[in-house]
């Protein structure tokens, strides 16, 4: 992997200069006594280091001809996303595994269809950035779905238990809670699709335009991105509800008290 360190260090001057706006936010936080100054600095430094490291990793992977590196990078992203989404839904038993499996299912199915339809070639330069966008979006939606579903069932515990006592299955007893959780989780994705280009230019489109591509080429890719985000997020969120049910109910179709008693 050949790297021109002089050009790299010269190029890092602009990111370093851009930290001035974060320092402005730090000063304002201190003036307002928000207590966020240390966290802002930590976040900025962490992001700087993480992105610098991932840049070298991607440079290495892009130079490889082995598809195994693509799969390894994808599984690493899914693992981190599953852990993060599981942290959000901390009261869901085995939440990290459920989130990881759901994100894997949603993004893998969507990616397979995109490759099958020849939308993207199976190369690191295309698959890794695309997978990163899908995994990140699916992570947020899945975490919200799992947390909202558990919280709604807890709030309406008596209603669910009454339905179960009348002979309803766990799926039938929680159908309204599942619908609400999915609607709430998917709403930001759909709102973003409805307003894309009107309020702000998305990252993929902006990057292409700044890189010299024509706006017409940029919108073509952005349409694909929006479609794949909706598809992957929908599959992942729905999958998470199916995987949550066994952890919410006992084998005798009763609510698990230990899951819903915690605040």
């Amino acid at each position: 992997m050949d790297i021109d360190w002089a050009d790299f260090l010269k190029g890092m001057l602009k990111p370093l200069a851009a930290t001035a706006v974060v320092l402005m936010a730090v000063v304002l936080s201190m003036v307002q006594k928000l207590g966020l100054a240390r966290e802002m600095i930590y976040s900025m430094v962490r992001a700087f280091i993480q992105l610098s490291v991932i840049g070298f990793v991607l440079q290495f992977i892009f130079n490889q001809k082995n598809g195994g590196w693509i799969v390894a990078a994808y599984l690493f992203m899914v693992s981190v996303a599953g852990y993060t989404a599981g942290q959000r839904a901390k009261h869901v038993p085995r939440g990290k595994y459920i989130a990881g499996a759901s994100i894997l299912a949603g993004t893998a199915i969507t990616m397979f269809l995109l490759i099958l339809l020849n939308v993207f070639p199976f190369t690191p330069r295309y698959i890794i950035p695309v997978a990163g966008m899908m995994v990140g979006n699916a992570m947020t939606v899945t975490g919200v779905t799992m947390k909202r579903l558990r919280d709604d069932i807890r709030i309406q515990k008596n209603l669910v238990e009454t339905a179960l006592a009348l002979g309803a299955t766990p799926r039938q007893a929680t159908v309204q809670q599942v619908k609400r959780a999915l609607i709430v989780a998917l709403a930001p994705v759909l709102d973003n699709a409805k307003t894309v280009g009107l309020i702000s230019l998305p990252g993929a489109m902006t990057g292409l335009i700044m890189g010299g591509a024509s706006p017409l080429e940029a919108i073509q890719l952005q349409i694909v991105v929006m479609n794949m985000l909706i598809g992957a997020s929908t599959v992942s969120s729905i999958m998470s509800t199916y995987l949550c049910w066994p952890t919410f109910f006992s084998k005798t179709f009763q609510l698990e008290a230990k899951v819903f008693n915690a605040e």
Side-chain angles (χ1 to χ4, degrees):
M1 181 173 60
D2 296 328
I3 298 175
D4 190 329
W5 289 100
D7 285 346
F8 173 75
L9 294 175
K10 182 179 179 181
M12 292 300 286
L13 293 176
K14 290 182 179 180
L16 285 173
T19 59
V21 295
V22 179
L23 295 177
M24 175 186 67
V26 170
V27 172
L28 290 174
S29 173
M30 294 174 67
V31 171
Q32 295 295 319
K33 298 180 180 179
L34 301 178
L36 295 175
R38 181 175 297 179
E39 186 173 356
M40 286 180 178
I41 294 173
Y42 170 75
S43 299
M44 176 186 68
V45 172
R46 177 171 170 170
F48 193 92
I49 295 173
Q50 285 178 181
L51 289 173
S52 298
V53 171
I54 201 63
F56 286 105
V57 172
L58 290 177
Q59 182 72 23
F60 170 79
I61 294 176
F62 286 177
N63 291 332
Q64 306 305 307
K65 304 299 182 182
N66 189 345
W69 287 104
I70 300 177
V71 177
Y74 167 65
L75 292 177
F76 175 76
M77 289 187 286
V78 170
S79 299
V80 175
Y83 179 86
T84 305
Q87 286 285 89
R88 175 184 289 274
K90 59 183 178 181
H91 293 304
V92 177
R94 300 186 295 278
K96 297 180 181 65
Y97 298 103
I98 291 174
S102 302
I103 294 168
L104 178 64
T107 55
I109 291 171
T110 305
M111 184 65 71
F112 175 76
L113 289 174
L114 292 175
I115 295 173
L116 188 66
L117 295 171
N118 201 31
V119 177
F120 293 116
F122 188 71
T123 60
R125 190 168 298 276
Y126 284 93
I127 299 301
I128 292 178
V130 167
M133 286 186 281
M134 284 197 297
V135 169
N137 213 67
M139 173 190 72
T140 303
V141 171
T142 301
V144 172
T145 300
M146 294 167 61
K147 184 179 185 303
R148 182 60 187 259
L149 178 58
R150 183 263 176 190
D151 290 347
D152 276 5
I153 293 176
R154 179 176 176 272
I155 293 171
Q156 298 180 320
K157 184 178 177 181
N158 292 336
L159 184 63
V160 174
E161 288 179 332
T162 300
L164 292 170
L166 293 174
T169 64
R171 179 179 174 82
Q172 292 168 335
T174 57
V175 64
Q176 294 302 321
Q177 290 79 9
V178 168
K179 285 183 178 180
R180 272 195 298 272
L182 291 172
I183 290 171
V184 169
L186 291 170
V189 180
L190 300 177
D191 288 344
N192 190 32
K194 285 185 248 182
T195 59
V196 65
L198 299 178
I199 298 176
S200 63
L201 296 180
M205 184 176 175
T206 302
L208 281 172
I209 293 174
M210 293 178 68
S214 74
L216 296 180
E217 292 175 331
I219 64 168
Q220 291 171 3
L221 176 63
Q222 189 58 52
I223 291 171
V224 173
V225 169
M226 295 309 303
N227 290 340
M228 73 185 190
L229 292 183
I230 293 174
S233 299
T234 302
V235 175
S236 295
S237 58
I238 292 175
M239 178 65 71
S240 70
T241 64
Y242 278 93
L243 296 179
C244 280
W245 270 321
T247 70
F248 288 167
F249 297 90
S250 66
K251 293 180 180 180
T252 57
F253 288 176
Q254 299 296 314
L255 285 173
E256 290 283 6
K258 61 182 180 180
V259 176
F260 299 101
N261 286 342
E263 292 292 338

